[in-house]
Amino acid sequence: MIRKLVKVESDKISISVPKDYIGKVMEVIAFSRDETVSKEAKKKKKATFNAVSLDTVGFKL
């Protein structure tokens, strides 16, 4: 696997691949780093329980 971060300087990007990748099917994905995780996804969510019932008959401390 090859992973490389590049700063885009123009509207074109070229990549070099190792010789052992030649002839294989490759997947190339491009996205900007600021669109990988939304601000909403970064917020921690608290677990809440709204429907809890306990049978405490016969329970002693």
Side-chain angles (χ1 to χ4, degrees):
M1 182 172 97
I2 300 170
R3 181 176 182 172
K4 185 174 183 178
L5 299 175
V6 295
K7 183 176 180 183
V8 179
E9 302 290 338
S10 71
D11 63 342
K12 296 181 182 176
I13 298 173
S14 66
I15 59 172
S16 299
V17 296
K19 289 183 181 182
D20 57 331
Y21 277 47
I22 296 172
K24 294 184 179 182
V25 176
M26 294 182 58
E27 179 177 358
V28 179
I29 302 172
F31 55 90
S32 66
R33 295 287 290 185
D34 61 349
E35 68 183 2
T36 58
V37 180
S38 69
K39 290 180 182 179
E40 293 295 321
K42 288 182 181 179
K43 292 181 182 179
K44 290 186 179 180
K45 295 181 181 180
K46 294 180 181 179
T48 59
F49 299 94
N50 296 328
V52 175
S53 64
L54 299 172
D55 183 7
T56 58
V57 175
F59 184 76
K60 295 180 182 179
L61 288 176

Short mmCIF file of all heavy atoms in Angstrom, two decimals:
data_model
loop_
_atom_site.label_atom_id
_atom_site.label_comp_id
_atom_site.label_asym_id
_atom_site.label_seq_id
_atom_site.Cartn_x
_atom_site.Cartn_y
_atom_site.Cartn_z
N MET A 1 0.84 -1.18 0.00
CA MET A 1 0.00 0.00 0.00
C MET A 1 0.88 1.23 0.00
O MET A 1 1.90 1.27 0.67
CB MET A 1 -0.91 0.01 1.23
CG MET A 1 -1.84 1.19 1.25
SD MET A 1 -3.07 1.11 2.54
CE MET A 1 -2.30 2.12 3.78
N ILE A 2 0.47 2.23 -0.73
CA ILE A 2 1.17 3.50 -0.79
C ILE A 2 0.22 4.58 -0.30
O ILE A 2 -0.92 4.65 -0.75
CB ILE A 2 1.62 3.85 -2.21
CG1 ILE A 2 2.56 2.78 -2.75
CG2 ILE A 2 2.29 5.21 -2.25
CD1 ILE A 2 2.84 2.94 -4.23
N ARG A 3 0.69 5.39 0.63
CA ARG A 3 -0.11 6.53 1.07
C ARG A 3 0.82 7.73 1.11
O ARG A 3 1.90 7.67 1.69
CB ARG A 3 -0.70 6.29 2.44
CG ARG A 3 -1.54 7.44 2.92
CD ARG A 3 -2.19 7.16 4.23
NE ARG A 3 -3.02 8.28 4.61
CZ ARG A 3 -3.84 8.28 5.63
NH1 ARG A 3 -3.93 7.20 6.37
NH2 ARG A 3 -4.55 9.34 5.91
N LYS A 4 0.40 8.81 0.50
CA LYS A 4 1.24 9.99 0.44
C LYS A 4 0.37 11.23 0.51
O LYS A 4 -0.64 11.33 -0.18
CB LYS A 4 2.06 10.00 -0.85
CG LYS A 4 3.05 11.12 -0.93
CD LYS A 4 3.93 10.98 -2.15
CE LYS A 4 4.95 12.09 -2.18
NZ LYS A 4 5.86 11.98 -3.29
N LEU A 5 0.76 12.17 1.36
CA LEU A 5 0.08 13.45 1.44
C LEU A 5 0.85 14.44 0.56
O LEU A 5 2.08 14.50 0.62
CB LEU A 5 0.06 13.96 2.87
CG LEU A 5 -0.68 13.08 3.87
CD1 LEU A 5 -0.54 13.64 5.28
CD2 LEU A 5 -2.13 12.95 3.50
N VAL A 6 0.13 15.15 -0.27
CA VAL A 6 0.77 16.12 -1.16
C VAL A 6 0.05 17.45 -1.05
O VAL A 6 -1.15 17.51 -0.83
CB VAL A 6 0.77 15.66 -2.64
CG1 VAL A 6 1.59 14.42 -2.83
CG2 VAL A 6 -0.63 15.44 -3.15
N LYS A 7 0.80 18.53 -1.20
CA LYS A 7 0.20 19.86 -1.29
C LYS A 7 0.00 20.15 -2.76
O LYS A 7 0.95 20.15 -3.54
CB LYS A 7 1.12 20.89 -0.66
CG LYS A 7 0.52 22.28 -0.66
CD LYS A 7 1.42 23.27 0.05
CE LYS A 7 0.80 24.64 0.02
NZ LYS A 7 1.68 25.64 0.64
N VAL A 8 -1.24 20.39 -3.13
CA VAL A 8 -1.58 20.59 -4.53
C VAL A 8 -1.15 21.99 -4.95
O VAL A 8 -1.54 22.99 -4.35
CB VAL A 8 -3.09 20.39 -4.76
CG1 VAL A 8 -3.44 20.62 -6.20
CG2 VAL A 8 -3.50 19.00 -4.32
N GLU A 9 -0.33 22.05 -5.98
CA GLU A 9 0.17 23.33 -6.49
C GLU A 9 -0.47 23.72 -7.82
O GLU A 9 -0.32 24.84 -8.27
CB GLU A 9 1.70 23.26 -6.67
CG GLU A 9 2.46 22.91 -5.41
CD GLU A 9 2.45 24.02 -4.36
OE1 GLU A 9 2.22 25.19 -4.73
OE2 GLU A 9 2.65 23.71 -3.18
N SER A 10 -1.18 22.79 -8.46
CA SER A 10 -1.86 23.08 -9.71
C SER A 10 -3.08 22.17 -9.82
O SER A 10 -3.39 21.43 -8.89
CB SER A 10 -0.93 22.87 -10.91
OG SER A 10 -0.69 21.50 -11.11
N ASP A 11 -3.73 22.19 -10.99
CA ASP A 11 -4.93 21.37 -11.16
C ASP A 11 -4.61 19.95 -11.63
O ASP A 11 -5.51 19.20 -11.97
CB ASP A 11 -5.91 22.05 -12.11
CG ASP A 11 -5.35 22.22 -13.51
OD1 ASP A 11 -4.13 22.13 -13.67
OD2 ASP A 11 -6.15 22.46 -14.43
N LYS A 12 -3.34 19.58 -11.64
CA LYS A 12 -2.94 18.24 -12.05
C LYS A 12 -2.00 17.62 -11.02
O LYS A 12 -1.16 18.29 -10.44
CB LYS A 12 -2.24 18.29 -13.41
CG LYS A 12 -3.15 18.75 -14.51
CD LYS A 12 -2.47 18.77 -15.83
CE LYS A 12 -3.51 19.31 -16.81
NZ LYS A 12 -3.07 19.49 -18.10
N ILE A 13 -2.16 16.32 -10.83
CA ILE A 13 -1.29 15.56 -9.92
C ILE A 13 -0.82 14.32 -10.68
O ILE A 13 -1.61 13.64 -11.34
CB ILE A 13 -2.05 15.09 -8.66
CG1 ILE A 13 -2.55 16.30 -7.86
CG2 ILE A 13 -1.18 14.22 -7.79
CD1 ILE A 13 -3.44 15.93 -6.69
N SER A 14 0.46 14.01 -10.60
CA SER A 14 0.95 12.76 -11.19
C SER A 14 1.57 11.93 -10.08
O SER A 14 2.11 12.46 -9.11
CB SER A 14 1.98 13.04 -12.30
OG SER A 14 3.14 13.62 -11.74
N ILE A 15 1.48 10.62 -10.21
CA ILE A 15 2.02 9.72 -9.21
C ILE A 15 2.92 8.68 -9.86
O ILE A 15 2.73 8.33 -11.02
CB ILE A 15 0.90 9.01 -8.40
CG1 ILE A 15 -0.01 8.19 -9.32
CG2 ILE A 15 0.08 10.01 -7.61
CD1 ILE A 15 -0.99 7.33 -8.59
N SER A 16 3.89 8.23 -9.13
CA SER A 16 4.74 7.13 -9.56
C SER A 16 4.41 5.92 -8.70
O SER A 16 4.16 6.06 -7.50
CB SER A 16 6.21 7.50 -9.39
OG SER A 16 6.53 8.61 -10.18
N VAL A 17 4.40 4.77 -9.30
CA VAL A 17 4.09 3.55 -8.56
C VAL A 17 5.27 2.58 -8.66
O VAL A 17 6.01 2.59 -9.64
CB VAL A 17 2.80 2.88 -9.08
CG1 VAL A 17 1.60 3.77 -8.85
CG2 VAL A 17 2.90 2.54 -10.55
N PRO A 18 5.43 1.73 -7.65
CA PRO A 18 6.50 0.73 -7.71
C PRO A 18 6.29 -0.25 -8.87
O PRO A 18 5.17 -0.46 -9.33
CB PRO A 18 6.38 0.00 -6.36
CG PRO A 18 5.60 0.92 -5.49
CD PRO A 18 4.72 1.70 -6.39
N LYS A 19 7.37 -0.84 -9.34
CA LYS A 19 7.29 -1.77 -10.47
C LYS A 19 6.37 -2.95 -10.20
O LYS A 19 5.72 -3.45 -11.11
CB LYS A 19 8.69 -2.27 -10.84
CG LYS A 19 9.54 -1.20 -11.48
CD LYS A 19 10.90 -1.74 -11.88
CE LYS A 19 11.72 -0.62 -12.51
NZ LYS A 19 13.03 -1.08 -12.97
N ASP A 20 6.31 -3.41 -8.95
CA ASP A 20 5.46 -4.57 -8.65
C ASP A 20 3.96 -4.22 -8.67
O ASP A 20 3.12 -5.11 -8.59
CB ASP A 20 5.84 -5.22 -7.33
CG ASP A 20 5.78 -4.28 -6.14
OD1 ASP A 20 5.99 -3.07 -6.32
OD2 ASP A 20 5.54 -4.78 -5.03
N TYR A 21 3.61 -2.96 -8.81
CA TYR A 21 2.22 -2.56 -8.95
C TYR A 21 1.78 -2.53 -10.41
O TYR A 21 0.59 -2.48 -10.71
CB TYR A 21 1.99 -1.17 -8.35
CG TYR A 21 1.79 -1.15 -6.86
CD1 TYR A 21 2.61 -1.86 -6.00
CD2 TYR A 21 0.78 -0.39 -6.29
CE1 TYR A 21 2.44 -1.83 -4.64
CE2 TYR A 21 0.60 -0.34 -4.93
CZ TYR A 21 1.42 -1.07 -4.10
OH TYR A 21 1.24 -1.03 -2.75
N ILE A 22 2.71 -2.56 -11.34
CA ILE A 22 2.39 -2.48 -12.76
C ILE A 22 1.59 -3.72 -13.17
O ILE A 22 1.96 -4.84 -12.86
CB ILE A 22 3.66 -2.33 -13.61
CG1 ILE A 22 4.34 -1.00 -13.27
CG2 ILE A 22 3.35 -2.41 -15.10
CD1 ILE A 22 5.70 -0.82 -13.90
N GLY A 23 0.48 -3.50 -13.84
CA GLY A 23 -0.38 -4.59 -14.28
C GLY A 23 -1.47 -4.94 -13.29
O GLY A 23 -2.33 -5.76 -13.58
N LYS A 24 -1.45 -4.33 -12.10
CA LYS A 24 -2.46 -4.61 -11.10
C LYS A 24 -3.53 -3.53 -11.11
O LYS A 24 -3.29 -2.40 -11.54
CB LYS A 24 -1.83 -4.68 -9.70
CG LYS A 24 -0.88 -5.84 -9.54
CD LYS A 24 -0.36 -5.89 -8.13
CE LYS A 24 0.57 -7.09 -7.96
NZ LYS A 24 1.06 -7.19 -6.59
N VAL A 25 -4.72 -3.88 -10.65
CA VAL A 25 -5.80 -2.91 -10.53
C VAL A 25 -5.53 -2.09 -9.27
O VAL A 25 -5.29 -2.63 -8.20
CB VAL A 25 -7.17 -3.61 -10.42
CG1 VAL A 25 -8.27 -2.60 -10.20
CG2 VAL A 25 -7.43 -4.44 -11.66
N MET A 26 -5.55 -0.76 -9.42
CA MET A 26 -5.31 0.13 -8.29
C MET A 26 -6.51 1.03 -8.08
O MET A 26 -7.25 1.33 -9.01
CB MET A 26 -4.07 1.00 -8.55
CG MET A 26 -2.79 0.23 -8.61
SD MET A 26 -1.35 1.29 -8.85
CE MET A 26 -1.46 2.37 -7.45
N GLU A 27 -6.70 1.47 -6.86
CA GLU A 27 -7.74 2.43 -6.54
C GLU A 27 -7.05 3.71 -6.08
O GLU A 27 -6.20 3.68 -5.21
CB GLU A 27 -8.63 1.91 -5.42
CG GLU A 27 -9.71 2.87 -5.01
CD GLU A 27 -10.63 2.28 -3.93
OE1 GLU A 27 -10.44 1.13 -3.54
OE2 GLU A 27 -11.54 3.01 -3.51
N VAL A 28 -7.44 4.82 -6.67
CA VAL A 28 -6.86 6.12 -6.32
C VAL A 28 -8.00 7.00 -5.82
O VAL A 28 -9.00 7.18 -6.51
CB VAL A 28 -6.17 6.78 -7.54
CG1 VAL A 28 -5.60 8.13 -7.16
CG2 VAL A 28 -5.08 5.85 -8.08
N ILE A 29 -7.84 7.53 -4.62
CA ILE A 29 -8.86 8.38 -4.01
C ILE A 29 -8.21 9.71 -3.66
O ILE A 29 -7.12 9.75 -3.11
CB ILE A 29 -9.42 7.74 -2.74
CG1 ILE A 29 -10.02 6.37 -3.04
CG2 ILE A 29 -10.44 8.65 -2.08
CD1 ILE A 29 -10.42 5.59 -1.81
N ALA A 30 -8.88 10.81 -3.97
CA ALA A 30 -8.36 12.13 -3.63
C ALA A 30 -9.42 12.92 -2.87
O ALA A 30 -10.57 12.98 -3.29
CB ALA A 30 -7.95 12.88 -4.90
N PHE A 31 -9.04 13.49 -1.75
CA PHE A 31 -9.91 14.36 -0.98
C PHE A 31 -9.04 15.29 -0.15
O PHE A 31 -7.89 14.99 0.13
CB PHE A 31 -10.86 13.57 -0.07
CG PHE A 31 -10.17 12.61 0.86
CD1 PHE A 31 -9.77 13.02 2.12
CD2 PHE A 31 -9.92 11.31 0.47
CE1 PHE A 31 -9.13 12.14 2.98
CE2 PHE A 31 -9.28 10.42 1.32
CZ PHE A 31 -8.88 10.84 2.58
N SER A 32 -9.58 16.44 0.22
CA SER A 32 -8.80 17.37 1.03
C SER A 32 -8.89 16.96 2.49
O SER A 32 -9.88 16.38 2.93
CB SER A 32 -9.30 18.80 0.84
OG SER A 32 -10.60 18.93 1.34
N ARG A 33 -7.84 17.23 3.24
CA ARG A 33 -7.78 16.83 4.64
C ARG A 33 -8.88 17.46 5.47
O ARG A 33 -9.34 16.86 6.43
CB ARG A 33 -6.42 17.19 5.24
CG ARG A 33 -5.25 16.45 4.63
CD ARG A 33 -5.20 15.05 5.04
NE ARG A 33 -4.84 15.00 6.45
CZ ARG A 33 -4.62 13.90 7.12
NH1 ARG A 33 -4.67 12.75 6.52
NH2 ARG A 33 -4.32 13.92 8.39
N ASP A 34 -9.32 18.66 5.13
CA ASP A 34 -10.34 19.31 5.94
C ASP A 34 -11.74 18.76 5.70
O ASP A 34 -12.66 19.08 6.43
CB ASP A 34 -10.33 20.82 5.74
CG ASP A 34 -10.61 21.24 4.31
OD1 ASP A 34 -10.61 20.37 3.41
OD2 ASP A 34 -10.82 22.43 4.08
N GLU A 35 -11.93 17.90 4.73
CA GLU A 35 -13.25 17.32 4.50
C GLU A 35 -13.32 15.86 4.94
O GLU A 35 -14.30 15.19 4.72
CB GLU A 35 -13.66 17.44 3.03
CG GLU A 35 -12.86 16.62 2.07
CD GLU A 35 -13.27 16.85 0.61
OE1 GLU A 35 -14.16 17.67 0.34
OE2 GLU A 35 -12.69 16.20 -0.25
N THR A 36 -12.29 15.36 5.63
CA THR A 36 -12.29 13.96 6.03
C THR A 36 -13.20 13.69 7.21
O THR A 36 -13.89 12.70 7.26
CB THR A 36 -10.88 13.47 6.37
OG1 THR A 36 -10.34 14.28 7.41
CG2 THR A 36 -9.99 13.52 5.16
N VAL A 37 -13.21 14.59 8.21
CA VAL A 37 -14.04 14.41 9.39
C VAL A 37 -14.77 15.72 9.67
O VAL A 37 -14.15 16.75 9.85
CB VAL A 37 -13.18 14.04 10.62
CG1 VAL A 37 -14.06 13.85 11.84
CG2 VAL A 37 -12.37 12.78 10.35
N SER A 38 -16.07 15.65 9.68
CA SER A 38 -16.84 16.86 9.93
C SER A 38 -16.74 17.25 11.40
O SER A 38 -16.44 16.44 12.26
CB SER A 38 -18.30 16.65 9.55
OG SER A 38 -18.91 15.74 10.44
N LYS A 39 -17.01 18.51 11.69
CA LYS A 39 -16.96 18.99 13.07
C LYS A 39 -17.99 18.27 13.94
O LYS A 39 -17.75 18.03 15.11
CB LYS A 39 -17.19 20.50 13.09
CG LYS A 39 -16.05 21.28 12.51
CD LYS A 39 -16.31 22.77 12.54
CE LYS A 39 -15.17 23.53 11.90
NZ LYS A 39 -15.41 24.97 11.88
N GLU A 40 -19.12 17.93 13.37
CA GLU A 40 -20.15 17.21 14.13
C GLU A 40 -19.66 15.83 14.54
O GLU A 40 -19.96 15.35 15.62
CB GLU A 40 -21.44 17.10 13.32
CG GLU A 40 -22.13 18.42 13.07
CD GLU A 40 -22.65 19.05 14.35
OE1 GLU A 40 -23.14 18.32 15.22
OE2 GLU A 40 -22.55 20.28 14.48
N ALA A 41 -18.91 15.18 13.69
CA ALA A 41 -18.42 13.84 14.00
C ALA A 41 -17.35 13.87 15.07
O ALA A 41 -17.14 12.89 15.77
CB ALA A 41 -17.88 13.17 12.74
N LYS A 42 -16.65 15.00 15.20
CA LYS A 42 -15.59 15.12 16.21
C LYS A 42 -16.15 15.28 17.62
O LYS A 42 -15.47 14.97 18.58
CB LYS A 42 -14.69 16.31 15.88
CG LYS A 42 -13.79 16.09 14.70
CD LYS A 42 -12.89 17.29 14.48
CE LYS A 42 -11.99 17.10 13.29
NZ LYS A 42 -11.12 18.26 13.06
N LYS A 43 -17.37 15.78 17.73
CA LYS A 43 -17.96 15.97 19.05
C LYS A 43 -18.25 14.62 19.69
O LYS A 43 -18.79 13.72 19.05
CB LYS A 43 -19.26 16.77 18.95
CG LYS A 43 -19.05 18.20 18.53
CD LYS A 43 -20.38 18.92 18.47
CE LYS A 43 -20.22 20.35 18.00
NZ LYS A 43 -21.52 21.04 17.91
N LYS A 44 -17.87 14.49 20.97
CA LYS A 44 -18.15 13.25 21.67
C LYS A 44 -19.62 13.21 22.06
O LYS A 44 -20.18 14.19 22.54
CB LYS A 44 -17.27 13.13 22.91
CG LYS A 44 -15.82 12.91 22.59
CD LYS A 44 -15.03 12.66 23.84
CE LYS A 44 -13.57 12.42 23.50
NZ LYS A 44 -12.77 12.19 24.71
N LYS A 45 -20.22 12.08 21.85
CA LYS A 45 -21.61 11.91 22.20
C LYS A 45 -21.70 11.20 23.54
O LYS A 45 -20.94 10.26 23.81
CB LYS A 45 -22.35 11.11 21.13
CG LYS A 45 -22.41 11.83 19.80
CD LYS A 45 -23.16 11.02 18.78
CE LYS A 45 -23.19 11.77 17.45
NZ LYS A 45 -23.91 11.00 16.44
N LYS A 46 -22.61 11.65 24.39
CA LYS A 46 -22.81 11.03 25.69
C LYS A 46 -23.89 9.96 25.56
O LYS A 46 -24.90 10.15 24.90
CB LYS A 46 -23.23 12.07 26.72
CG LYS A 46 -22.14 13.09 27.00
CD LYS A 46 -22.61 14.09 28.03
CE LYS A 46 -21.52 15.11 28.30
NZ LYS A 46 -21.96 16.12 29.28
N ALA A 47 -23.66 8.84 26.23
CA ALA A 47 -24.64 7.77 26.23
C ALA A 47 -25.76 8.12 27.20
O ALA A 47 -25.50 8.57 28.32
CB ALA A 47 -23.99 6.45 26.62
N THR A 48 -26.98 7.95 26.78
CA THR A 48 -28.13 8.19 27.65
C THR A 48 -29.04 6.97 27.62
O THR A 48 -29.14 6.26 26.63
CB THR A 48 -28.92 9.43 27.19
OG1 THR A 48 -29.36 9.23 25.85
CG2 THR A 48 -28.07 10.69 27.25
N PHE A 49 -29.67 6.75 28.76
CA PHE A 49 -30.59 5.64 28.88
C PHE A 49 -31.93 6.20 29.35
O PHE A 49 -32.03 6.75 30.44
CB PHE A 49 -30.07 4.61 29.89
CG PHE A 49 -28.75 4.00 29.49
CD1 PHE A 49 -27.56 4.53 29.97
CD2 PHE A 49 -28.71 2.93 28.62
CE1 PHE A 49 -26.35 3.99 29.60
CE2 PHE A 49 -27.50 2.38 28.24
CZ PHE A 49 -26.33 2.92 28.73
N ASN A 50 -32.93 6.08 28.53
CA ASN A 50 -34.24 6.64 28.85
C ASN A 50 -35.24 5.58 29.28
O ASN A 50 -36.24 5.92 29.90
CB ASN A 50 -34.80 7.40 27.64
CG ASN A 50 -33.95 8.59 27.28
OD1 ASN A 50 -33.35 9.21 28.15
ND2 ASN A 50 -33.89 8.92 26.00
N ALA A 51 -35.02 4.35 29.01
CA ALA A 51 -36.00 3.31 29.30
C ALA A 51 -35.36 2.19 30.10
O ALA A 51 -35.15 1.09 29.62
CB ALA A 51 -36.60 2.77 28.01
N VAL A 52 -35.05 2.48 31.37
CA VAL A 52 -34.45 1.47 32.22
C VAL A 52 -35.39 1.21 33.38
O VAL A 52 -35.87 2.13 34.04
CB VAL A 52 -33.07 1.96 32.77
CG1 VAL A 52 -32.51 0.95 33.75
CG2 VAL A 52 -32.11 2.18 31.62
N SER A 53 -35.67 -0.04 33.63
CA SER A 53 -36.48 -0.40 34.80
C SER A 53 -35.80 -1.57 35.51
O SER A 53 -35.25 -2.47 34.88
CB SER A 53 -37.90 -0.78 34.38
OG SER A 53 -37.87 -1.94 33.58
N LEU A 54 -35.81 -1.49 36.82
CA LEU A 54 -35.19 -2.54 37.64
C LEU A 54 -36.21 -3.10 38.61
O LEU A 54 -36.96 -2.38 39.23
CB LEU A 54 -34.01 -1.96 38.44
CG LEU A 54 -32.85 -1.37 37.64
CD1 LEU A 54 -31.89 -0.68 38.58
CD2 LEU A 54 -32.15 -2.46 36.86
N ASP A 55 -36.18 -4.42 38.76
CA ASP A 55 -37.02 -5.07 39.73
C ASP A 55 -36.22 -5.17 41.02
O ASP A 55 -35.29 -5.96 41.13
CB ASP A 55 -37.42 -6.46 39.24
CG ASP A 55 -38.36 -7.16 40.20
OD1 ASP A 55 -38.82 -6.54 41.18
OD2 ASP A 55 -38.64 -8.36 39.96
N THR A 56 -36.57 -4.33 42.00
CA THR A 56 -35.80 -4.30 43.25
C THR A 56 -36.51 -5.03 44.39
O THR A 56 -36.14 -4.89 45.55
CB THR A 56 -35.55 -2.84 43.67
OG1 THR A 56 -36.79 -2.17 43.81
CG2 THR A 56 -34.67 -2.13 42.64
N VAL A 57 -37.50 -5.84 44.07
CA VAL A 57 -38.21 -6.61 45.10
C VAL A 57 -37.24 -7.63 45.70
O VAL A 57 -36.58 -8.39 45.00
CB VAL A 57 -39.43 -7.32 44.49
CG1 VAL A 57 -40.11 -8.21 45.52
CG2 VAL A 57 -40.40 -6.32 43.92
N GLY A 58 -37.10 -7.58 47.02
CA GLY A 58 -36.22 -8.51 47.71
C GLY A 58 -34.76 -8.07 47.73
O GLY A 58 -33.91 -8.77 48.26
N PHE A 59 -34.46 -6.90 47.22
CA PHE A 59 -33.08 -6.40 47.18
C PHE A 59 -32.76 -5.68 48.49
O PHE A 59 -33.54 -4.88 48.97
CB PHE A 59 -32.89 -5.44 46.01
CG PHE A 59 -31.49 -4.95 45.84
CD1 PHE A 59 -30.52 -5.78 45.29
CD2 PHE A 59 -31.12 -3.68 46.26
CE1 PHE A 59 -29.22 -5.34 45.15
CE2 PHE A 59 -29.83 -3.23 46.12
CZ PHE A 59 -28.86 -4.06 45.56
N LYS A 60 -31.63 -6.03 49.10
CA LYS A 60 -31.23 -5.40 50.35
C LYS A 60 -29.79 -4.93 50.22
O LYS A 60 -28.97 -5.56 49.57
CB LYS A 60 -31.32 -6.40 51.50
CG LYS A 60 -32.71 -6.86 51.80
CD LYS A 60 -32.70 -7.83 52.95
CE LYS A 60 -34.12 -8.34 53.23
NZ LYS A 60 -34.14 -9.30 54.33
N LEU A 61 -29.50 -3.82 50.88
CA LEU A 61 -28.11 -3.32 50.92
C LEU A 61 -27.46 -3.73 52.21
O LEU A 61 -27.99 -3.79 53.23
CB LEU A 61 -28.09 -1.79 50.81
CG LEU A 61 -28.43 -1.26 49.42
CD1 LEU A 61 -28.47 0.26 49.45
CD2 LEU A 61 -27.43 -1.70 48.39
#
